[in-house]
Amino acid sequence: MEDYKYLFKIVLIGNAGVGKTCLVRRFAQGVFPNVQGATIGVDFMIKSLMVNDVKVKLQIWDTAGQERFRSITQSYYRSAHCLILVYDVFSQCSFDSLPQWCRDIDQYAGAAIAGNGRNVLKVLVGNKCDKDREVPLHIAEQFAHNNNFDLFMETSALEAENVEKLFREIAEILVSRNQESNGGTMSRSITSNSFNQSSKPSNCFNCFSN
Amino acid sequence: MSSPPETQDTESSQNQPYESTSHPMREEDNDDPQVEFCNLARRNLQRPSDHYNPPPRRTHIASRILREPWTTALTQFSKVTNLVLNPYEEYEGPTMADIRNTLRDPLGYVRQREEGATYGHHQMSNPAPMNHPPPALPPIDCSIPQQRVPPLTAEEYNQKYANAPRRVLLERIFQGGIQSNKLRRILWPTILCITEKYSLDWKDLNLVYTYYSNQWKTILPDQEARFTAYRERKSLIDRDVVRCDRTHSFYSESNPGNVEKLRQLLMTYIMYDFDTGYVQGMTDLAAPLLYVWDGDIPKAFWCFVQVMKLCKRNFEMSQLAIKNQLKALIKLVQITDPVFAQHLCSNESANCYFAFRWIICLFKREFMKRKTDDYHDCLIVWETIWSIHSLASLDDEDKQDMFLDQSLSPLLNQIGAIKRQYWSHEADNSDNSSNGIIELPDASTPSECGFPIIIPPPIDHTFSFVPKSGPQRICELKTVDEDVNEANCPENSPKSPVKTLPNAIPIKTTRLKLKTPPKPRPVCASSPRSPSRPSLMSTVLSPPVREMYSHPMPDNEFLFNSISSRSSSDEVKKSPVPVGKEATENRPLDSSDELKAYEFDHLADGSNSSVNKSGKLETLENIELFCLCISLAIIRRERDIILSRKYDSCAILKHFNTLHLNDCLNNILLHSMTIWHWLKHDGGEKSLYNDDEFKPSNTSVDDFDLLNDDDEVDCQNFAALAV
């Protein structure tokens, strides 16, 4: 059933153990997984939303956080419409790693989404805000501002705080961007096209092609 | 599995809509109707470009005949054969597909799957019509049929294998695994090369374990604050152990002590091999080991050390080894199943990233029984992997040395030397022999075990550090000067594995004076490896030096040198000798700048595909090769579903990510063994390393080797390959 108008690819990145998988599952399934093993490699979930009477499908990619796996995960977020950089408000260490992540974003996802002439939507999220914080809100806000994040939010996957709101706002921004750049007439196929183009099929080896 | 084995036929089970495919244990996955895992797949069902048929030819047949008469002629002939024997359109229907699959599957692979497997999917509710049955799975041309046998029981072991040669035992375990944890505790040291004997005196190994574990237990909080590399490793472990296998009864909420034990094991490992440090996935490897040893940390630790030696390359910073394996995997698929390889290629899955977790965790998550969270199946897979590694090492004379080095014998020889040396000192200082000396857990009295060692008591970091005003103990292991460095040590924490003798008073440092400071061995993960290191390592373990270790050494210096270089030496021994440009690439890039540069270059030319057209396939270790056999077996099992439903890249990833294979353990392993035999004895390995460029028209001799004259599948296979 192709009943959606837009398909957006959202990729969550950030240090290991900041709650990326829990955020995705809280949003996509409405549950908080108590026993969620570390993500090895990548996974994704899909959830549909209605934004201004338009059906939007969000394809949310969840990546392994450890630096060692970045060469694998980077290949996934290079074609993203939106990157959510997650840190743990309870862990100063995860906040201190953000500059490195920002460099990664600039390096691998800096290219504009095909056709739109816009950079990837950058979102900063401080997760686990139900816990005692180590990272003050205003410091994080300042950081988000200085590093040109489009959106900053503190969430709690445990208590479902701001999770729905986070993804809804992202969807709204992406929809409005697409409608602007296409005079509001953009069809799904174009969106799908741009999605497909961004991950080049030429990466495959060229067997059977001659 | 919660659902009973399916009784429906192949066609209907393949007709399950993708949206309903998730594991039964994850009911929540499907409770929310808004959650649709992969509706993208539907979109592609109507897309003709994803069809698995070969693309149309571009050149005229006459010109191809002139260029490649043999290939072209066979291709044309096989097309005719296909038309006669495989007219999907005319003979559409489950019955025909069943017959065809049965005929084409010399292993009975598909048939067995139909009988017992459930795919880990929900029962279908709305089967979509399947336009075409998938093309037949080409058989693996294995000359000797392989077999699986039931897991080895204690009775059978006592009757037949207790005194059998090592090879016989390994072959038995390779074919069936081990039945019980009790027997595992007896046999694992042999399989994992901890010892070549069947029985093992753990005393010395416990001693070394305590030695390592005290290194992290004695890092003071203020020291930790200045020790970023250590802190990072510790933080990762702390985050991972509390979420590893908590559904398993051994690590459940009611057993928090076991989680702490797992943490201690991994913390000790980072001191054992600080360069590798902790990488996500290690918890998955360590948890079942600790379970089998029923919480005996030192024994589980040494098993873990041996397991890590086998697969440490997967955890290296550069990730080159794992990319090489993924590259080899798509090549294997291409050789054995060109139709499916084409499907993967045209759906951006040629990088085989879906197999990343399989290899990192040695298929643990795929073979965990989710309902009971039983490690049994996963352990049988591991035992098969480990024993094929040991068997292959036995077969390969060149690797005999490597096998010896993989055992812990050299380490134990060092211990023997230390003991003797200590003992001679003891004789000189017998009056102080008990002062400030901590008895090790399994050690008897010093006079019997001969190896008292002075170890600072561990620090319980959960308590704040309060300097003690009483008699001070000398923390010898932290001594970095010739003079005495005294440190205040708090009381032993209750969970300390070592006991402190009462009345600890200062002891003479002359007994244990260290000429070379035991530098915080683990200096920093980012320290580049010195080029001179390999040569040092090769000498450390060369036979003459090994002999030397059995004699008392003049001072303690060698202990630290040899122990600290031990882990690196394994790496050097295990790694294939790098040549030319590869030499620099093979070296783990530790500096983050270097890594970035590497990644950027790598991504720039190889993009997100691990199949680098110009990159040569590195020679694979045996264990890597066997892991690829299992991966290929899994892929071959799932390929019909993927082809018939025309999954795209996302759907393929989701499908493999949600796979649970515990119901087809034996089928997968049997198929893996067949692939292994084909690789090793029927020319498969040769074709794997041949022809790095994937040129479709380049039909090599090896491709012909795959063909059975009387099997129509092979003709079709060949046709696809040659088009």
Side-chain angles (χ1 to χ4, degrees):
Chain A
M1 295 292 287
E2 303 190 43
D3 54 350
Y4 59 93
K5 187 168 182 187
Y6 294 112
L7 169 71
F8 295 120
K9 183 176 176 184
I10 299 173
V11 180
L12 278 89
I13 57 176
N15 272 17
V18 297
K20 297 181 289 295
T21 307
C22 291
L23 268 180
V24 176
R25 292 195 62 182
R26 166 61 80 184
F27 174 65
Q29 303 175 330
V31 296
F32 180 78
N34 282 317
V35 283
Q36 180 68 48
T39 307
I40 310 283
V42 291
D43 198 5
F44 71 92
M45 289 194 176
I46 286 181
K47 176 145 177 170
S48 299
L49 284 182
M50 291 301 291
V51 176
N52 303 329
D53 299 329
V54 174
K55 186 159 187 185
V56 177
K57 188 162 280 195
L58 300 182
Q59 186 184 45
I60 308 162
W61 288 77
D62 176 26
T63 63
Q66 192 166 7
E67 182 179 6
R68 209 157 306 205
F69 297 144
R70 278 191 209 173
S71 62
I72 303 283
T73 54
Q74 271 157 356
S75 63
Y76 283 90
Y77 64 75
R78 277 179 307 130
S79 56
H81 296 88
C82 169
L83 284 175
I84 304 180
L85 176 50
V86 188
Y87 70 94
D88 177 357
V89 298
F90 185 58
S91 159
Q92 183 67 38
C93 174
S94 72
F95 187 78
D96 294 340
S97 306
L98 293 183
Q100 177 60 45
W101 284 109
C102 289
R103 278 195 289 278
D104 277 13
I105 294 175
D106 293 341
Q107 198 166 3
Y108 299 109
I113 293 297
N116 289 349
R118 277 186 192 272
N119 281 342
V120 60
L121 186 71
K122 284 166 63 182
V123 180
L124 184 67
V125 167
N127 194 28
K128 308 193 188 179
C129 69
D130 51 283
K131 287 171 131 182
D132 299 335
R133 65 172 65 243
E134 274 187 14
V135 182
L137 182 61
H138 69 276
I139 301 276
E141 278 173 342
Q142 188 66 38
F143 180 88
H145 178 75
N146 292 344
N147 289 276
N148 303 315
F149 279 91
D150 300 284
L151 189 63
F152 167 69
M153 211 176 271
E154 284 195 345
T155 61
S156 164
L158 177 66
E159 295 177 355
E161 189 179 339
N162 276 349
V163 177
E164 184 82 22
K165 187 181 168 199
L166 168 73
F167 287 99
R168 181 162 291 280
E169 288 200 15
I170 289 170
E172 284 168 0
I173 294 173
L174 289 172
V175 167
S176 66
R177 276 189 179 186
N178 272 296
Q179 285 173 342
E180 279 171 28
S181 59
N182 293 279
T185 58
M186 184 177 182
S187 71
R188 179 192 60 249
S189 60
I190 295 173
T191 314
S192 304
N193 257 343
S194 71
F195 170 72
N196 285 335
Q197 280 166 8
S198 49
S199 44
K200 302 168 206 156
S202 61
N203 295 331
C204 308
F205 56 78
N206 61 346
C207 60
F208 314 106
S209 62
N210 52 339
Chain B
M1 298 290 290
S2 59
S3 54
E6 290 175 17
T7 52
Q8 55 199 292
D9 62 22
T10 324
E11 291 305 308
S12 55
S13 72
Q14 287 172 345
N15 282 346
Q16 292 174 29
Y18 185 74
E19 287 69 35
S20 69
T21 60
S22 72
H23 191 269
M25 277 310 290
R26 295 201 192 162
E27 289 85 4
E28 67 270 28
D29 287 357
N30 300 280
D31 287 342
D32 185 351
Q34 277 191 291
V35 179
E36 299 162 279
F37 272 121
C38 235
N39 280 349
L40 291 173
R42 286 189 194 159
R43 173 164 52 89
N44 293 329
L45 280 173
Q46 283 86 38
R47 219 160 61 188
S49 62
D50 283 341
H51 200 270
Y52 44 74
N53 282 342
R57 295 152 185 279
R58 292 183 190 163
T59 51
H60 192 270
I61 184 166
S63 63
R64 282 201 313 281
I65 286 179
L66 287 175
R67 204 173 62 225
E68 295 170 295
W70 172 238
T71 306
T72 312
L74 263 186
T75 307
Q76 295 305 317
F77 172 73
S78 67
K79 289 213 142 187
V80 175
T81 316
N82 281 341
L83 203 66
V84 174
L85 296 175
N86 300 316
Y88 291 145
E89 291 76 16
E90 287 81 353
Y91 293 92
E92 202 172 312
T95 317
M96 186 58 198
D98 281 346
I99 295 167
R100 195 173 51 244
N101 281 335
T102 308
L103 284 176
R104 287 170 183 175
D105 186 14
L107 301 172
Y109 183 61
V110 175
R111 197 170 58 248
Q112 288 175 16
R113 185 180 68 188
E114 287 157 14
E115 286 164 3
T118 61
Y119 294 109
H121 297 154
H122 279 299
Q123 298 275 332
M124 57 172 187
S125 53
N126 181 24
M130 187 165 64
N131 295 333
H132 301 283
L137 181 70
I140 302 285
D141 189 19
C142 170
S143 57
I144 298 179
Q146 303 292 303
Q147 59 162 348
R148 293 292 295 175
V149 292
L152 181 63
T153 60
E155 295 78 39
E156 190 185 353
Y157 169 72
N158 286 333
Q159 285 167 11
K160 291 186 191 170
Y161 297 97
N163 296 308
R166 184 185 155 81
R167 176 189 298 274
V168 175
L169 177 71
L170 286 173
E171 277 170 358
R172 174 65 181 81
I173 294 170
F174 175 60
Q175 290 182 336
I178 298 172
Q179 177 65 48
S180 66
N181 285 351
K182 193 179 171 189
L183 192 58
R184 287 193 166 108
R185 292 195 283 265
I186 296 170
L187 295 182
W188 274 11
T190 308
I191 309 175
L192 288 170
C193 306
I194 291 177
T195 175
E196 293 140 58
K197 298 168 288 190
Y198 288 161
S199 62
L200 176 64
D201 184 2
W202 285 96
K203 201 183 289 177
D204 292 342
L205 287 174
N206 286 353
L207 198 88
V208 185
Y209 169 80
T210 312
Y211 188 91
Y212 291 134
S213 68
N214 278 291
Q215 288 177 342
W216 64 266
K217 285 176 181 169
T218 52
I219 289 180
L220 302 178
D222 77 303
Q223 189 186 9
E224 190 181 319
R226 296 184 296 272
F227 199 173
T228 308
Y230 169 80
R231 219 170 44 238
E232 285 171 355
R233 286 157 174 74
K234 187 179 171 221
S235 157
L236 272 171
I237 291 176
D238 287 344
R239 283 171 188 271
D240 273 6
V241 289
V242 294
R243 52 177 172 157
C244 177
D245 294 342
R246 296 307 294 274
T247 47
H248 192 285
S249 56
F250 189 74
Y251 294 105
S252 65
E253 294 287 338
S254 53
N255 285 319
N258 290 331
V259 178
E260 169 61 21
K261 283 176 179 174
L262 184 61
R263 193 183 79 93
Q264 291 188 14
L265 189 157
L266 291 164
M267 288 298 291
T268 307
Y269 185 77
I270 64 171
M271 301 318 274
Y272 173 84
D273 184 359
F274 200 83
D275 285 347
T276 305
Y278 173 77
V279 186
Q280 291 192 310
M282 285 187 189
T283 324
D284 285 278
L285 295 183
L289 305 185
L290 190 64
Y291 159 76
V292 165
W293 287 105
D294 200 20
D296 188 334
I297 314 176
K299 295 185 174 74
F301 170 79
W302 288 113
C303 287
F304 181 65
V305 164
Q306 297 299 87
V307 171
M308 281 303 297
K309 280 179 190 169
L310 300 181
C311 49
K312 200 170 83 176
R313 296 176 74 209
N314 294 344
F315 294 99
E316 279 172 1
M317 188 58 110
S318 68
Q319 296 284 293
L320 285 174
I322 196 126
K323 285 182 178 174
N324 186 50
Q325 290 172 73
L326 297 178
K327 199 196 294 182
L329 181 58
I330 188 66
K331 183 102 189 264
L332 272 179
V333 176
Q334 211 267 339
I335 294 168
T336 56
D337 189 359
V339 175
F340 190 58
Q342 186 196 6
H343 182 83
L344 290 179
C345 290
S346 51
N347 286 285
E348 300 152 39
S349 299
N351 53 31
C352 285
Y353 281 174
F354 53 79
F356 184 76
R357 191 176 74 187
W358 300 352
I359 294 169
I360 288 275
C361 298
L362 294 181
F363 309 93
K364 179 205 164 199
R365 298 199 184 180
E366 283 67 34
F367 284 101
M368 282 276 283
K369 280 186 180 165
R370 286 287 172 139
K371 189 166 188 183
T372 57
D373 270 294
D374 189 352
Y375 287 133
H376 184 70
D377 285 359
C378 145
L379 289 173
I380 285 185
V381 174
W382 287 6
E383 280 152 3
T384 308
I385 295 173
W386 299 339
S387 52
I388 196 60
H389 169 81
S390 298
L391 274 173
S393 302
L394 284 176
D395 289 340
D396 191 344
E397 285 189 6
D398 297 338
K399 293 192 173 166
Q400 286 286 348
D401 281 346
M402 191 185 91
F403 165 71
L404 277 179
D405 292 339
Q406 277 172 356
S407 77
L408 292 168
S409 309
L411 188 65
L412 291 177
N413 286 344
Q414 296 159 29
I415 297 297
I418 303 164
K419 277 185 186 178
R420 278 186 284 279
Q421 191 206 357
Y422 272 93
W423 188 232
S424 64
H425 281 289
E426 282 300 316
D428 299 339
N429 302 283
S430 53
D431 54 326
N432 281 330
S433 60
S434 64
N435 291 336
I437 289 171
I438 297 160
E439 273 187 72
L440 292 155
D442 282 356
S444 47
T445 65
S447 61
E448 283 173 56
C449 101
F451 185 23
I453 183 168
I454 297 171
I455 291 168
I459 293 165
D460 187 346
H461 288 180
T462 57
F463 299 105
S464 59
F465 172 62
V466 182
K468 201 181 157 200
S469 56
Q472 291 172 350
R473 209 174 286 112
I474 299 163
C475 295
E476 278 294 330
L477 304 185
K478 291 291 162 196
T479 304
V480 289
D481 228 21
E482 287 206 314
D483 294 323
V484 184
N485 268 12
E486 294 182 354
N488 296 330
C489 300
E491 286 296 337
N492 261 1
S493 68
K495 54 185 177 183
S496 149
V498 295
K499 288 178 283 185
T500 312
L501 291 185
N503 308 320
I505 60 166
I507 57 161
K508 292 178 183 173
T509 53
T510 49
R511 273 202 303 162
L512 278 176
K513 192 165 72 183
L514 305 171
K515 279 193 173 173
T516 305
K519 310 218 174 204
R521 303 196 301 86
V523 185
C524 178
S526 59
S527 68
R529 289 159 196 240
S530 76
S532 65
R533 231 165 155 186
S535 60
L536 170 72
M537 266 127 237
S538 52
T539 58
V540 163
L541 294 171
S542 65
V545 184
R546 221 182 287 143
E547 281 175 27
M548 201 166 70
Y549 280 167
S550 59
H551 302 298
M553 296 286 282
D555 59 44
N556 295 16
E557 185 178 348
F558 77 96
L559 167 67
F560 299 104
N561 281 342
S562 52
I563 290 180
S564 64
S565 61
R566 170 76 200 162
S567 60
S568 308
S569 71
D570 300 324
E571 186 177 301
V572 170
K573 296 265 170 188
K574 276 178 64 66
S575 306
V577 181
V579 192
K581 190 182 167 227
E582 264 70 35
T584 50
E585 286 190 349
N586 230 5
R587 181 175 59 87
L589 294 160
D590 289 329
S591 147
S592 62
D593 285 344
E594 271 182 87
L595 182 67
K596 293 260 75 96
Y598 158 75
E599 284 172 353
F600 192 68
D601 292 348
H602 194 73
L603 288 170
D605 67 357
S607 204
N608 70 347
S609 166
S610 70
V611 179
N612 188 344
K613 285 168 202 161
S614 61
K616 285 253 176 191
L617 203 58
E618 300 278 338
T619 308
L620 295 152
E621 297 288 331
N622 280 320
I623 187 168
E624 294 174 340
L625 204 55
F626 191 73
C627 284
L628 292 186
C629 292
I630 301 179
S631 303
L632 184 61
I634 297 173
I635 289 171
R636 287 168 71 82
R637 181 180 188 271
E638 304 303 322
R639 57 87 84 173
D640 281 0
I641 300 174
I642 291 170
L643 282 177
S644 60
R645 297 186 195 156
K646 301 193 179 92
Y647 283 172
D648 68 352
S649 62
C650 295
I652 291 170
L653 181 80
K654 197 76 202 174
H655 182 77
F656 282 126
N657 269 354
T658 51
L659 214 52
H660 290 285
L661 299 167
N662 38 280
D663 280 341
C664 52
L665 171 77
N666 279 324
N667 286 341
I668 293 282
L669 288 180
L670 178 66
H671 210 74
S672 311
M673 290 162 66
T674 302
I675 297 167
W676 172 262
H677 194 277
W678 165 72
L679 278 171
K680 284 291 176 184
H681 304 287
D682 298 321
E685 198 171 14
K686 202 175 87 192
S687 54
L688 176 64
Y689 295 118
N690 271 352
D691 185 26
D692 273 320
E693 301 287 333
F694 292 103
K695 285 179 185 167
S697 60
N698 236 0
T699 313
S700 65
V701 178
D702 294 309
D703 295 320
F704 286 96
D705 287 342
L706 287 172
L707 303 183
N708 290 331
D709 289 339
D710 54 352
D711 196 329
E712 78 279 9
V713 185
D714 293 322
C715 295
Q716 189 203 356
N717 168 14
F718 175 65
L721 197 69
V723 169

